[in-house]
Amino acid sequence: MAKELRMERKVVFTERPPFPENMLVELTNKCNHQCIFCHYRLMSRKKADCNREFTFDIIKQAYDNGTREIGFYMIGEPFLKRDLEEYIAYAHNLGFTYIYLTTNGALATLERTVKCIEAGLNSIKFSINAATTEHYIQIHGHDDYETVKTNVRNLSEYVRKNNIDLSMFITFVKTNITLDDFDLLLADFSSFVDKIYECDCNSQGTPIIELINNGIVNPLIYLKENQELCQMVFNRLHITSEGYLNACCADAEGLLSAVDLHEVSLKEAWHSDIMVNLRRQFLNNTLSKDVLCYNCLHKEQHKVKPLNEALWSSNGR
């Protein structure tokens, strides 16, 4: 059976859903790329790595409450963390059954990725959003296309030679710049990975209207409203590098950071008043225009406020 990304997970749409089986942990909010559609390039949030012992405690809290899948990425590039494999090993030794990464691949050398595999990594996804050097520089902001290609090829050969059960995927975010790149990407990479996914360029923290105005995306495609409830608010934990529970995986600024996990347990935070209120707005179709989620859902660009003003202010603003 062909390997696939795990995109569909159990979700219960209620104000107080069960504790999630899946979590994302942001080991660092720093990135080595400046992707044109990602808000990271404009981020005012203080750049920082997570605290090791605190993060280990949060991971254990999640495991003790039933979480079994963990991804080590959100806004930042996980391979910027020199001890990345130690977080993977910690989760593996606790008993997590599915451990995964998303990376731009520029720093994912064979030496680094082998350490992650040996620590317990189950799946790696490469974010490669162009298929020529010229386009790659335009999209990613760095001339790393050939480096990434080498890293993916070397890892693929190592996995096959050693009969390692590691899932390998690529996601390609399509923009107006790269409308003809997907076939080229298939030619370059399809023999190295299990599957390559072509994705529409949706908001990655940067308002979709801004992307349209800058000619990055096509308004005829991307101005369609998303009528579905956002599942991640109901079935996934997002832990920021500061140690906050956040409602979203693509919130570069921390506008959706809800609860400081230094002050309350992870389980308490999941069912906190601020998270319950956000879910209620989704369920009742009363999402406030000053919540970042509204812009994402409706493809609009209203001025937004942080979910938790205290956390926003404490992060150097």
Side-chain angles (χ1 to χ4, degrees):
M1 181 182 296
K3 294 179 179 178
E4 301 274 352
L5 278 172
R6 297 191 180 188
M7 294 182 174
E8 298 298 326
R9 291 181 169 89
K10 181 174 66 176
V11 58
V12 178
F13 290 112
T14 180
E15 291 180 6
R16 296 178 178 273
F19 196 84
E21 297 178 2
N22 181 254
M23 74 185 300
L24 293 181
V25 178
E26 183 182 65
L27 300 180
T28 179
N29 63 10
K30 304 170 189 174
C31 190
N32 56 321
H33 279 191
Q34 300 276 335
C35 291
I36 198 169
F37 49 75
C38 180
H39 190 78
Y40 174 80
R41 60 196 168 83
L42 304 172
M43 186 175 77
S44 64
R45 180 176 160 216
K46 184 179 178 181
K47 295 178 182 178
D49 295 343
C50 70
N51 177 278
R52 177 189 175 93
E53 296 307 319
F54 176 81
T55 303
F56 281 178
D57 178 68
I58 295 299
I59 293 170
K60 188 174 190 306
Q61 286 186 49
Y63 182 83
D64 289 346
N65 282 286
T67 306
R68 292 296 180 268
E69 300 181 353
I70 185 168
F72 288 108
Y73 68 94
M74 277 185 4
I75 300 304
E77 166 55 48
F79 279 96
L80 283 172
K81 277 289 280 183
R82 294 296 182 183
D83 56 351
L84 169 61
E85 66 274 9
E86 295 179 23
Y87 291 85
I88 295 171
Y90 182 77
H92 176 74
N93 292 335
L94 278 176
F96 279 84
T97 57
Y98 188 64
I99 303 171
Y100 58 105
L101 296 175
T102 290
T103 173
N104 58 49
L107 302 176
T109 62
L110 183 59
E111 179 183 6
R112 295 290 312 277
T113 50
V114 167
K115 287 181 179 179
C116 292
I117 292 168
E118 292 174 343
L121 186 67
N122 301 112
S123 174
I124 187 167
K125 175 164 65 72
F126 295 91
S127 178
I128 306 174
N129 305 301
T132 69
T133 295
E134 179 185 359
H135 286 171
Y136 193 92
I137 293 170
Q138 286 181 270
I139 299 296
H140 284 259
H142 287 268
D143 185 6
D144 285 332
Y145 186 67
E146 293 301 324
T147 298
V148 171
K149 190 189 301 186
T150 297
N151 288 342
V152 174
R153 181 183 67 242
N154 289 346
L155 178 59
S156 176
E157 291 173 351
Y158 176 85
V159 166
R160 293 174 184 177
K161 179 181 178 181
N162 293 281
N163 195 29
I164 294 170
D165 185 16
L166 177 76
S167 299
M168 294 180 60
F169 305 108
I170 288 173
T171 52
F172 166 80
V173 176
K174 179 175 60 179
T175 66
N176 282 350
I177 296 170
T178 58
L179 292 177
D180 300 321
D181 280 28
F182 189 64
D183 287 342
L184 298 175
L185 196 75
L186 290 173
D188 277 352
F189 289 97
S190 59
S191 62
F192 301 139
V193 298
D194 295 296
K195 189 167 183 177
I196 302 177
Y197 294 82
E198 183 179 30
C199 312
D200 288 336
C201 181
N202 290 310
S203 175
Q204 299 291 319
T206 298
I208 200 71
I209 299 297
E210 181 179 322
L211 298 177
I212 291 170
N213 290 342
N214 291 336
I216 297 168
V217 300
N218 185 338
L220 297 179
I221 298 173
Y222 299 107
L223 277 180
K224 299 176 183 177
E225 287 192 15
N226 183 358
Q227 299 298 330
E228 297 181 2
L229 292 177
C230 180
Q231 292 191 11
M232 73 175 76
V233 180
F234 297 86
N235 72 348
R236 190 166 70 191
L237 300 164
H238 308 95
I239 313 301
T240 72
S241 57
E242 298 93 346
Y244 302 154
L245 176 66
N246 193 292
C248 180
C249 64
D251 174 26
E253 292 290 5
L255 286 160
L256 295 174
S257 286
V259 183
D260 187 347
L261 298 174
H262 298 84
E263 298 179 355
V264 301
S265 71
L266 187 55
K267 188 172 184 179
E268 289 175 300
W270 180 247
H271 287 147
S272 62
D273 289 345
I274 194 168
M275 290 296 293
V276 167
N277 180 57
L278 179 62
R279 297 187 194 109
R280 183 181 298 128
Q281 291 183 55
F282 272 101
L283 293 168
N284 296 340
N285 195 28
T286 57
L287 198 59
S288 174
K289 290 184 178 181
D290 63 11
V291 176
L292 183 62
C293 305
Y294 187 96
N295 284 343
C296 180
L297 195 68
H298 297 284
K299 306 296 190 292
E300 296 181 11
Q301 192 168 352
H302 299 279
K303 185 176 181 180
V304 298
K305 298 178 181 178
L307 272 187
N308 187 325
E309 182 66 42
L311 296 187
W312 175 263
S313 300
S314 69
N315 197 33
R317 296 182 176 87

